[in-house]
Amino acid sequence: MDRNSVIGFALIAAIMIVWLQFMNPEKKAEIEKAAAKRELAVKPQGAAPATAPVAVLPDSLGAFATAAAGPEKLVTIENDLMKATISTKGATLKSLVLKKHLNGARQPFNLVNSSDRGALSMLFLSSDGKRIDTRDLNFRSIGTDSTLTVTGKQKLSVSYELDVDASRRMQVTYTFTGDSYTIGYDLKLAGFGSTMAGNQYQLAWDGGIAYSEKDHADEATNALSSAYLGGGLLKVDAKDNKQPYYREEESGKAQWVAVRSKYFVAALIPSRDTEGIYLNGSRKGSSEFENYVAALKMNLPSGSNVVEDHYRIYVGPLDYDTVKALNIGLEKVMDFGWEWLTRPFAEYIILPIFNLLNRYVGNYGLIIIIFAFLIKGVTYPLTAASTKSMKKMSALQPLMKEIQDKYKDNPAKLQTEMGRIYKEAGVNPLGGCLPTVLQMPLLFAMFYVFRSSIQLRQHGFLWAKDLSVPDSILDFGFKLPLYGDHIAVFPILMAVTVFVQQKITPSTQTNDQMKVMMWMFPAMMLLFFNNMPAGLGLYYLMFNVFSIAQQFYINATTTPEEKAAAALQVAAPKAPQQPRKGGKKK
C-alpha cells in the first residue's frame, strides 16, 4: 500500500464517520420535502391540537350523550395470522396479536398501544360545537358470538350500529380474510350531512404501535407517523421530549396514513379522495415511547343523506414484499437511506437476492454468506486488476525513489514525472482502494436493510441469536465512548481479517505511516461495526475471508516477470526521434 492508498482508506474512514454521525436513522431529518414545501409545526406548551383526537366526557357530548351509556362487549376474531379484539365501546380495535411474530422476550404481544380506549376512532365536530370521538359512544353489536374464526381465503364480517336519534344512524363493519393482515373497514353514515361542522370527519389511528424490542431507545429512533400524498412522503418524528408534541396537517389526496415502530406498521387506506391528512406525535418526559396519531380527513358529499366510505386497514409486519403488494406505496415508509443511492441497492439488489436465496436456503446466516460470495465474485475482476496494479507499483518503487531524489527541490516537476511514470506503466495510484469505495453504497444499503428488515429479526446464526442486532456476548452495564456497552464477536473477527488482508496485500511502502495504518484501520472498523447488526458484521467478515483467499490466489499466480514488466516498460530507452527532412534554413 502506497501513500495514495493510505489517503484513499482515510477518505473511506472519513465518509463512514460522517455517515454514522449525521446520516444514520437517529440523526436523519424528520420531514422529507416532496411535491410541495412543508413545515413542521410545533405546538406551544399547554395548547391542544386543533383537530387532534381527545377524550371527551359523556356530559359534553350534547345530543350524543345518550349513546355513551351501556356495557362494553368484546368480540375476538382469529384468522391464520392474527387475533383481533373489537369492542362495542366505539366499535374500535382494542387488541391485535400477531401469531408469527413475537416480541423481544419471544412472547406474543398486543400491537395496539392504546388498548384502554382502542386504536381506531371517528372524529368530528357536531353542529352545536361538541367534539365527538366515537370511542366515547356505545355501539350495538350485530351478532351474539364472542369468538369467531376465519381461515384461508374465507371472509368474515362483524358489524356495529349506533342510533343517535330517529334520523341519524352510524354503522361500522369490519371484514377479515383468513390469510391476510389487511382488514376491511366500512363506515356508513345516515342523516349526518347537516350535523357535522364543515361536513367533515376524520378516521384516525390513535396511540402509535406498541414497542416490541428489548432496546426501546433503538426502537424509538424508528417510530413515527407518516402519510403519502401528492407523490411525496411526509413524516413526523417526536424524537425530542423537550417539545410537547409535533403536528403536521396537509390538504390533498392521500394514498395512506400510517404509524410505525421498528418492525410493524398500522396504515389507513382510503378508497376515495381525501380532503387531507393529520399527523401528531408526542413524547413525555424521560419516557422512550413515542405516541402518534395518523388521521385521514374526509368530506361528506353535499346533498347525500347516506354516505358509505370504504377503507382498508393494514396492521402487521413491515415486510417489504407484503406491503408493496398492496400497490399503494406503503413500502415508502421503510427507511432504506438515501432515496437516490442506497434505496435502489436495497430494493433491486439486496432484497430480491435474499428472497431468491430464501427459497432454497432456510438459514439467513447462510444466505448472508452466499450473498457475500456472490458480491465477491462480481467484484473479482476489479479487485484482481487493482491488485496487479499495486504489484506494478511495487516494482516501480526503485525508479520512483530515483525520481523523488532527483526532483526533491522541484515539486511541480516531481508530480509531472510521477504522473508520466504511472501513465506509461498503466497503473492507477488510487486503484488499491477503488473496490472498497465502489462497495460503500452497497454496504450502507445493507446496514439499512439489516437494521430495519423484519426478515432477519429473531433469526440466529452460530452464537448470534438475532442477526438484526449486534451479536453481543457480554454487556458492560455502562457505555464506552465510540465502542458501546457490549462486546460483539463478528466485529472482532472482521477486524482480524482486515489486518490479515492488509498484510498480504502488495505494499509499496514500509514507513512508519504504513505501520500505524496497519493497526489503525482494523481498529476503526471494529469501532464502526460493534454497534451494527450482526448480519452486517457477518457479511463483511465473510467478504474479507473470501478476499483473503482471492488475494492468496492472485499472489500465487502472479509471476516475477509480470511484476517487473511495468518497471521495464518505463525504464526502456525511448527510440530516438527521426530528424526532419531538409536541412537547416540558411
Side-chain angles (χ1 to χ4, degrees):
M1 230 185 282
D2 64 359
R3 187 182 69 174
N4 290 317
S5 296
V6 174
I7 294 173
F9 279 115
L11 289 174
I12 294 170
I15 292 172
M16 295 185 71
I17 291 173
V18 171
W19 175 72
L20 287 171
Q21 291 297 318
F22 297 104
M23 296 305 295
N24 64 51
E26 299 178 10
K27 300 291 181 72
K28 289 184 70 177
E30 298 81 29
I31 302 300
E32 295 183 3
K33 308 298 181 182
K37 182 178 179 181
R38 304 180 177 105
E39 295 181 357
L40 181 65
V42 182
K43 278 287 196 176
Q45 179 69 38
T51 55
V54 293
V56 182
L57 297 177
D59 58 1
S60 356
L61 294 174
F64 292 85
T66 56
E72 182 182 35
K73 179 183 176 181
L74 301 178
V75 176
T76 300
I77 300 96
E78 185 173 354
N79 71 2
D80 301 336
L81 303 173
M82 60 189 175
K83 181 186 291 186
T85 301
I86 302 174
S87 170
T88 55
K89 195 72 172 179
T92 188
L93 184 65
K94 298 203 73 171
S95 173
L96 195 142
V97 178
L98 302 181
K99 294 183 176 181
K100 296 185 177 181
H101 299 280
L102 307 176
N103 63 12
R106 307 298 173 99
Q107 298 293 325
F109 71 104
N110 180 15
L111 280 173
V112 177
N113 178 63
S114 55
S115 57
D116 53 340
R117 299 198 69 209
L120 286 170
S121 66
M122 176 191 168
L123 304 136
F124 61 93
L125 288 176
S126 64
S127 56
D128 57 354
K130 305 298 183 182
R131 189 184 301 277
I132 306 301
D133 184 335
T134 54
R135 290 176 297 179
D136 298 312
L137 309 178
N138 200 48
F139 286 68
R140 180 178 69 257
S141 174
I142 301 177
T144 58
D145 294 333
S146 60
T147 303
L148 300 167
T149 303
V150 60
T151 61
K153 300 299 181 181
Q154 298 175 349
K155 293 184 180 296
L156 172 69
S157 296
V158 291
S159 296
Y160 298 86
E161 291 183 348
L162 175 68
D163 296 317
V164 180
D165 49 41
S167 62
R168 288 181 294 178
R169 183 181 181 188
M170 186 183 302
Q171 180 175 306
V172 175
T173 301
Y174 291 85
T175 302
F176 292 81
T177 305
D179 59 354
S180 176
Y181 291 106
T182 303
I183 305 169
Y185 183 91
D186 299 330
L187 181 61
K188 183 177 181 180
L189 303 172
F192 279 86
S194 60
T195 60
M196 284 187 180
N199 276 359
Q200 185 182 100
Y201 74 87
Q202 294 184 24
L203 181 66
W205 179 283
D206 183 11
I209 291 286
Y211 286 0
S212 60
E213 309 307 298
K214 292 181 179 180
D215 189 346
H216 285 184
D218 176 66
E219 187 155 17
T221 65
N222 295 274
L224 51 83
S225 59
S226 185
Y228 192 61
L229 73 165
L233 188 66
L234 184 66
K235 297 180 182 179
V236 167
D237 187 353
K239 66 175 183 178
D240 188 357
N241 58 9
K242 295 180 181 179
Q243 300 292 350
Y245 43 78
Y246 295 83
R247 182 172 73 94
E248 182 73 24
E249 291 186 77
E250 190 76 22
S251 299
K253 180 181 178 180
Q255 282 71 42
W256 50 263
V257 293
V259 295
R260 63 160 292 182
S261 60
K262 185 174 184 178
Y263 294 114
F264 302 95
V265 65
L268 306 181
I269 308 161
S271 62
R272 68 176 174 95
D273 290 355
T274 64
E275 178 67 16
I277 59 92
Y278 170 84
L279 304 176
N280 176 269
S282 62
R283 185 173 180 177
K284 296 182 179 179
S286 60
S287 173
E288 293 173 334
F289 181 76
E290 298 175 5
N291 192 43
Y292 291 102
V293 175
L296 296 167
K297 293 182 179 181
M298 308 296 295
N299 273 349
L300 297 183
S302 59
S304 299
N305 187 56
V306 178
V307 177
E308 295 187 49
D309 281 334
H310 307 282
Y311 302 88
R312 287 181 293 165
I313 303 172
Y314 177 87
V315 187
L318 264 176
D319 178 272
Y320 180 82
D321 291 335
T322 302
V323 296
K324 186 176 177 61
L326 297 173
N327 294 318
I328 55 168
L330 186 56
E331 69 276 6
K332 298 292 184 181
V333 79
M334 301 181 71
D335 184 11
F336 290 145
W338 295 294
E339 192 72 22
W340 52 275
L341 182 61
T342 56
R343 191 174 190 93
F345 276 91
E347 290 186 316
Y348 304 118
I349 297 178
I350 300 174
L351 289 174
I353 293 178
F354 270 45
N355 291 335
L356 176 63
L357 293 175
N358 194 36
R359 296 179 186 177
Y360 308 100
V361 182
N363 186 281
Y364 273 98
L366 296 177
I367 290 175
I368 291 172
I369 294 174
I370 296 172
F371 184 79
F373 180 79
L374 293 175
I375 298 299
K376 185 74 259 183
V378 170
T379 59
Y380 171 76
L382 182 61
T383 305
S386 172
T387 301
K388 290 184 178 182
S389 177
M390 292 292 292
K391 289 180 178 294
K392 288 182 179 181
M393 291 187 67
S394 179
L396 289 173
Q397 285 310 296
L399 182 59
M400 298 295 290
K401 178 65 174 174
E402 179 183 337
I403 295 295
Q404 289 171 351
D405 292 339
K406 183 177 180 180
Y407 298 107
K408 62 181 178 180
D409 297 327
N410 190 346
K413 183 65 174 177
L414 174 61
Q415 291 299 322
T416 301
E417 287 298 309
M418 291 178 66
R420 178 185 64 81
I421 292 174
Y422 288 145
K423 182 178 181 180
E424 293 179 0
V427 298
N428 182 1
L430 295 178
C433 61
L434 185 59
T436 304
V437 172
L438 293 178
Q439 292 175 60
M440 295 304 287
L442 178 63
L443 181 64
F444 291 157
M446 292 186 69
F447 167 78
Y448 284 106
V449 171
F450 289 2
R451 178 185 175 87
S452 60
S453 177
I454 201 168
Q455 279 90 341
L456 295 181
R457 180 178 182 264
Q458 296 183 355
H459 283 272
F461 181 70
L462 300 177
W463 57 83
K465 298 180 181 179
D466 188 343
L467 289 170
S468 66
V469 298
D471 59 317
S472 172
I473 60 169
L474 177 64
D475 294 328
F476 301 143
F478 56 90
K479 193 171 184 179
L480 296 175
L482 297 179
Y483 187 69
D485 59 358
H486 61 269
I487 295 177
V489 179
F490 283 140
I492 296 175
L493 297 178
M494 185 197 66
V496 172
T497 60
V498 170
F499 180 82
V500 173
Q501 188 177 4
Q502 289 184 116
K503 291 287 288 185
I504 65 173
T505 300
S507 177
T508 61
Q509 296 184 17
T510 58
N511 54 30
D512 293 338
Q513 184 183 30
M514 291 306 305
K515 292 179 180 178
V516 171
M517 191 62 187
M518 189 73 68
W519 293 96
M520 182 179 295
F521 193 66
M524 288 191 300
M525 299 300 283
L526 173 62
L527 294 177
F528 291 152
F529 281 85
N530 190 63
N531 295 294
M532 290 190 179
L536 191 65
L538 173 62
Y539 164 79
Y540 212 79
L541 166 64
M542 296 310 302
F543 189 88
N544 286 347
V545 169
F546 296 139
S547 297
I548 291 171
Q550 175 183 281
Q551 191 64 56
F552 274 120
Y553 172 77
I554 293 175
N555 290 346
T557 56
T558 303
T559 64
E561 290 77 11
E562 289 177 321
K563 290 191 293 182
L568 292 175
Q569 179 180 349
V570 176
K574 295 183 179 180
Q577 295 183 354
Q578 294 293 330
R580 294 180 180 179
K581 292 183 178 181
K584 293 183 180 180
K585 187 176 180 180
K586 295 182 180 179

